Amino acid sequence: MRDQGADGERLTTREAAERLGVKPETVYAYVSRGRLSSRPAHGGRGSTLDAGEVDALARRTGRREPSAAADPTFRTRITLIEDNRYYFRGVDAVELAGRYGFEEVAEWLWTGVPRPGIRFSAPQESLEAARRTVAALPAHSGPMDRLRVAAVAAAATDPLRFDLSPEAVIGSARSLIPTLVGALPAVGQPDRAGDRLARQLWRRLTALPADDASLAVLDTALALLVDHDLAASTLAARVAASARAHPYAVISAGLGVLEGPLHGAASGLAHRMLAEVVQRGGAAPVVADHLRNGQRIPGLGHRIYTAEDPRAQALFALLDKIPRAAPALAAARDVVTTAARHTPLHANVDLALAVLSVSARMPAEAGETVFAVARTAGWIAHALEEYEERPLRMRPSGQYVGPRAPQPLP
């Protein structure tokens, strides 16, 4: 049984072995060599080890042997979701995004230290390599294709990418995120030194000029979407970090899962629906078509929130101040009202992103791009946490259901 002494948490030999990913015999060897210290347990049965020493040794040595069992628990200090609200490091995420821009919120998520006014910048070598690689893709390639290859190209230019110390990982993230944005083809005015990341991204989503109100919506959307607990892409990123993949590979893992139609692509479906509602002058025929075809209505409902998604609430309030967004915003509200006759679902963040993309003449994939760029910061935050955990702890056992062995050689 685990012991909690006056000087901290104590572990049994078996518990220490599980944390280290080794056999109990190896723990005894660590003690005999002085790498761990032990003392008799209460009652004189067995010995216990200091949990802090064990965790420090795990971080230094990595996993040496297969663990007896996977650890399904994710201890996190990043995001809490409860009572239809969500919080970054205990601070209301909507209030945080209302006061600070994306880069400042990302920095807060990584370090817990506010750095007002911080700007991320891309190293020239990394940016040029990413742009050359993206330019070599076929013309029909989408933004997710471009982001994935840009991450690989940026990794190739960073010989220090295998340094997993917090300072190095955060430094890589500060340069990688603007590299990803800068590698996307620009359709607006050229970038200027010192531009916020949101302004750089705007120029890659639409040719319309970025007025302050519209830019505030995009910057807030990025800040709101930084993290949302253990979504599928975040879980993939943590698995990669558990294997001690470098931060560029962690981002690549997250991007690979994000492209799935059940995750990052949802905002594109909402965009197309909303554009059709605006074109047809009302939501009723569009909603009816979706229901007739057995399709769910994009942009409505969320598996966590029983009321309206707080991210959607915040973005709708900002969009309401932009005259150009009025038709798309009215269409979104019409969708919610019309669908409520069939099922009581509330708007989620995908519908709010669709209002932004439709009103700003962005492509249907714009919401997915915003989501991906924002979430890279969250994946880095989770990687920083996972690097502090026992390596390769997420190793479930498969339940074999194939032919009974041995079978004859084919």
Side-chain angles (χ1 to χ4, degrees):
M1 180 178 294
R2 188 175 301 177
D3 180 25
Q4 184 73 35
D7 53 352
E9 181 185 8
R10 308 291 300 181
L11 303 175
T12 66
T13 301
R14 182 170 298 280
E15 288 171 337
E18 290 178 355
R19 285 202 185 187
L20 291 165
V22 299
K23 296 177 181 178
E25 292 81 0
T26 306
V27 176
Y28 297 137
Y30 286 151
V31 173
S32 66
R33 296 170 189 164
R35 302 187 72 180
L36 291 173
S37 58
S38 67
R39 72 184 186 200
H42 291 302
R45 298 183 61 183
S47 59
T48 63
L49 301 97
D50 181 84
E53 282 189 6
V54 172
D55 290 340
L57 180 62
R59 290 193 291 270
R60 291 197 304 270
T61 62
R63 177 173 174 154
R64 301 298 184 190
E65 300 173 28
S67 175
D71 183 358
T73 303
F74 292 86
R75 294 173 289 273
T76 180
R77 300 175 298 276
I78 301 172
T79 302
L80 169 68
I81 304 175
E82 65 178 10
D83 299 329
N84 289 314
R85 307 296 297 175
Y86 73 117
Y87 305 84
F88 292 155
R89 292 184 174 271
V91 177
D92 187 288
V94 172
E95 293 181 9
L96 196 66
R99 177 171 296 185
Y100 298 104
F102 165 70
E103 288 135 305
E104 296 160 321
V105 172
E107 191 76 18
W108 166 257
L109 212 64
W110 298 335
T111 67
V113 178
R115 292 191 63 186
I118 188 171
R119 297 287 183 271
F120 299 162
S121 60
Q124 195 60 35
E125 181 184 9
S126 173
L127 186 57
E128 289 176 357
R131 283 175 173 169
R132 285 195 304 269
T133 308
V134 167
L137 292 175
H140 65 265
S141 300
M144 296 302 293
D145 299 317
R146 298 184 176 107
L147 290 173
R148 286 201 308 275
V149 301
V152 174
T157 67
D158 185 2
L160 303 180
R161 62 187 180 275
F162 297 102
D163 184 351
L164 302 185
S165 64
E167 297 79 9
V169 171
I170 293 172
S172 296
R174 292 188 188 121
S175 63
L176 173 58
I177 295 175
T179 297
L180 295 177
V181 172
L184 297 173
V187 294
Q189 299 175 350
D191 296 330
R192 294 175 298 182
D195 278 345
R196 277 193 170 190
L197 193 92
R199 185 178 291 275
Q200 298 175 39
L201 182 57
W202 179 275
R203 295 180 178 128
R204 285 153 178 85
L205 297 176
T206 177
L208 290 180
D211 60 274
D212 291 342
S214 298
L215 203 59
V217 178
L218 179 57
D219 205 7
T220 302
L222 288 167
L224 291 169
L225 291 167
V226 162
D227 189 58
H228 207 240
D229 199 30
L230 287 173
S233 58
T234 304
L235 178 59
R238 287 201 77 133
V239 171
S242 178
R244 296 305 183 257
H246 55 70
Y248 299 86
V250 167
I251 295 300
S252 295
L255 289 172
V257 175
L258 189 65
E259 196 177 16
L262 301 182
H263 192 7
S267 60
L269 300 175
H271 173 105
R272 294 180 178 91
M273 176 198 67
L274 207 59
E276 185 180 357
V277 172
V278 172
Q279 180 185 14
R280 298 176 67 172
V286 179
V287 170
D289 286 345
H290 276 78
L291 296 177
R292 184 181 301 115
N293 295 327
Q295 300 170 333
R296 63 180 296 273
I297 304 168
L300 297 185
H302 197 284
R303 61 183 297 272
I304 294 177
Y305 300 117
T306 57
E308 188 172 61
D309 187 332
R311 300 168 296 179
Q313 285 182 337
L315 293 178
F316 284 149
L318 293 175
L319 288 162
D320 206 21
K321 302 174 184 178
I322 302 174
R324 185 183 62 237
L329 190 57
R333 288 168 174 158
D334 193 11
V335 168
V336 174
T337 302
T338 303
R341 305 173 194 169
H342 172 72
T343 182
L345 294 176
H346 299 278
N348 62 36
V349 72
D350 295 316
L351 192 62
L353 287 175
V355 173
L356 171 63
S357 58
V358 169
S359 62
R361 302 176 195 168
M362 297 175 180
E365 300 81 11
E368 185 177 7
T369 306
V370 174
F371 195 102
V373 170
R375 197 54 60 91
T376 53
W379 297 333
I380 291 295
H382 281 274
L384 287 165
E385 286 195 333
E386 194 59 42
Y387 289 147
E388 295 297 317
E389 296 286 352
R390 176 170 56 82
L392 288 174
R393 67 194 181 103
M394 286 167 273
R395 179 60 171 89
S397 299
Q399 182 179 2
Y400 179 74
V401 294
R404 186 176 180 84
Q407 293 287 315
L409 190 68

